[in-house]
Amino acid sequence: MSTTPSLSPFSQGPRGLTLEGVALADIAARFGTPTYVYSRAALVAAFDAYRHALGERPALVCCAVKANSNLGVLSVFAALDAGFDIVSGGELARVLAAGGRADRVVFSGTGKSRAEMRQALAAGIHCFNVESAAELDRLDEVAAALGTTAPVALRVNPDVDPGTHPYISTGLKSNKFGVAFSGALALYRRAAALPNLRVCGIACHIGSQLLDPAPVVEAAGKVLGLVDRLAAEGIHLDHIDLGGGLGIRYRDETPPTVAAYLAPLLELFKGRTEALCFEPGRSLTGNAGLLLTRIEYLKPGEEKNFAIVDAAMNDLARPALYDAWHDAVAVMARDLPPQCYDVVGPICESGDFLARERNLAVEEGDLLALLSAGAYGMSMSSNYNSRPRAAEVIVDGDSVHLVRERETVESLYALEKPLARE
Ligand SMILES: *Cc1c(COP(=O)(O)O)cnc(C)c1O
């Protein structure tokens, strides 16, 4: 089967698979493998799809930094005046280092430390998306100590089933995220009464890889009901944050376009004055990146054939973690009968697979591209098995920019030391 997820920036030609104007084989020769390769044009197009669909409506599109936190990628969005959705002080530092604006940052996450709150207050972020009563109290106290006021939204949990993988479903009562919808009104009253908080918005995020806007529309309807009840009590919000979650095509999924996803929401918000905020991650970077890897060995077996590549689950965890599908494409077409392979890495775990049961016409030494790897790829990578992390490059037209050098082995243990012998 040959699936071609969002092949717009990719094409197969005489130089093999190319991204924008650059042959992947040239990237491998120059930077080695495994390497994450992103298309600047695809990143820009994904962001522009949100901007165009939102039109003149007051809106803030905040890229979810956790999906791809490379400074080069973030700088592409910063140049488009994007906002950013962060979940740690580390991500805030990255946004600022990449040239992003602090006043367009929303800070999500269930476990913000005092130090992270101080850092975000000092930077002057747009809003804290608060996830518990205890966090409200702590934020008020930290803001008071700094002699400032913290802008807050409550992340409410609308108890809507997004119909996605249970690990990436976040808006059910049973999830750790957000404050219960039933208690939100009381919590808003409490927030409004705290002297060092300024209540400015409301947020929800119900899950990821959504292929249908209906659950988000349902959640947004519940949120609007709450916004109106708050207004009746004199608590006026200036923005409504509907989170991220729009899915992408990995294999044969048919996600709505950004415009089709936003249309029913824009309809619901017609005539309202609140600014809208979105926190897309996967739909901005997922199909703008691939993982380029080289086949080290072909290992035919009695039951299965393996293509053992130089990338592994430490580079791309999604297949091992979620049983996720990434298309595996040979960079150079070969005139061979295709054979069925499991594409696996060198790590000592049976879960170390990147793609299973794929028909590939390949030989040892050939390059493979694992597509749709731009989101939750490098940002979830690890050094398991003492493997230096991959390099990352951004293709821009005919140029290639190295935006993360390949790690060295020495850097992996630079912070460690052996115990001195007695
Ligand atoms: C992960 C996350 C996002 C991004 O989700 P995508 O599915 O990648 O769009 C946005 N907001 C919050 C609060 C998140 O946790």
Side-chain angles (χ1 to χ4, degrees), residues 85-250:
D85 170 48
I86 60 164
V87 293
S88 70
E91 288 190 351
L92 176 55
R94 282 179 174 277
V95 167
L96 299 179
R101 279 173 53 171
D103 63 354
R104 296 195 173 189
V105 166
V106 297
F107 193 169
S108 305
T110 52
K112 301 174 194 81
S113 69
R114 286 190 173 81
E116 287 175 320
M117 289 174 171
R118 280 192 289 269
Q119 180 193 355
L121 285 168
I125 66 165
H126 178 58
C127 192
F128 289 85
N129 289 347
V130 169
E131 304 215 17
S132 64
E135 188 190 333
L136 265 188
D137 292 340
R138 181 187 283 191
L139 185 57
D140 180 62
E141 178 196 306
V142 171
L146 289 181
T148 187
T149 306
V152 298
L154 284 183
R155 174 170 174 185
V156 297
N157 190 333
D159 199 28
V160 166
D161 185 351
T164 187
H165 191 289
Y167 283 12
I168 50 179
S169 151
T170 52
L172 286 167
K173 271 187 191 161
S174 52
N175 289 126
K176 72 171 179 178
F177 300 101
V179 301
F181 206 78
S182 54
L185 206 55
L187 219 49
Y188 264 105
R189 288 185 193 121
R190 176 156 157 193
L194 287 170
N196 292 85
L197 299 184
R198 178 171 60 82
V199 175
C200 62
I202 189 164
C204 71
H205 169 77
I206 62 168
S208 202
Q209 186 56 11
L210 309 178
L211 299 173
D212 178 357
V216 183
V217 176
E218 186 188 339
K222 287 190 169 183
V223 165
L224 274 188
L226 188 56
V227 171
D228 291 339
R229 285 191 63 185
L230 288 167
E233 297 199 12
I235 300 174
H236 298 280
L237 306 184
D238 35 63
H239 77 263
I240 299 175
D241 180 342
L242 296 174
L246 174 58
I248 62 170
R249 169 170 288 193
Y250 286 101

Side-chain angles (χ1 to χ4, degrees), residues 21 38 48 138 167 169 173 203 232 260 295 299 302 358 373 381:
Y38 310 108
D48 274 346
R138 181 187 283 191
Y167 283 12
S169 151
K173 271 187 191 161
I295 298 174
K299 184 173 176 183
E302 274 178 24
R358 307 301 171 85
S381 66

Side-chain angles (χ1 to χ4, degrees), residues 30-54:
R30 198 168 145 201
F31 300 101
T33 52
T35 292
Y36 273 97
V37 186
Y38 310 108
S39 156
R40 180 175 176 279
L43 294 168
V44 171
F47 187 78
D48 274 346
Y50 277 89
R51 282 209 298 207
H52 289 152
L54 290 164

Side-chain angles (χ1 to χ4, degrees), residues 380-400:
M380 290 180 97
S381 66
S382 78
N383 293 118
Y384 189 39
N385 278 211
S386 286
R387 289 169 50 83
R389 260 177 283 219
E392 291 177 286
V393 302
I394 296 184
V395 171
D396 183 11
D398 295 332
S399 334
V400 186

Side-chain angles (χ1 to χ4, degrees), residues 50-61 224 238-240 242 262-278:
Y50 277 89
R51 282 209 298 207
H52 289 152
L54 290 164
E56 296 298 303
R57 203 178 197 301
L60 185 59
V61 180
L224 274 188
D238 35 63
H239 77 263
I240 299 175
L242 296 174
L262 293 182
L265 293 167
L266 291 174
E267 185 59 32
L268 189 67
F269 284 82
K270 208 178 226 163
R272 298 195 67 107
T273 54
E274 297 92 351
L276 276 177
C277 178
F278 292 94

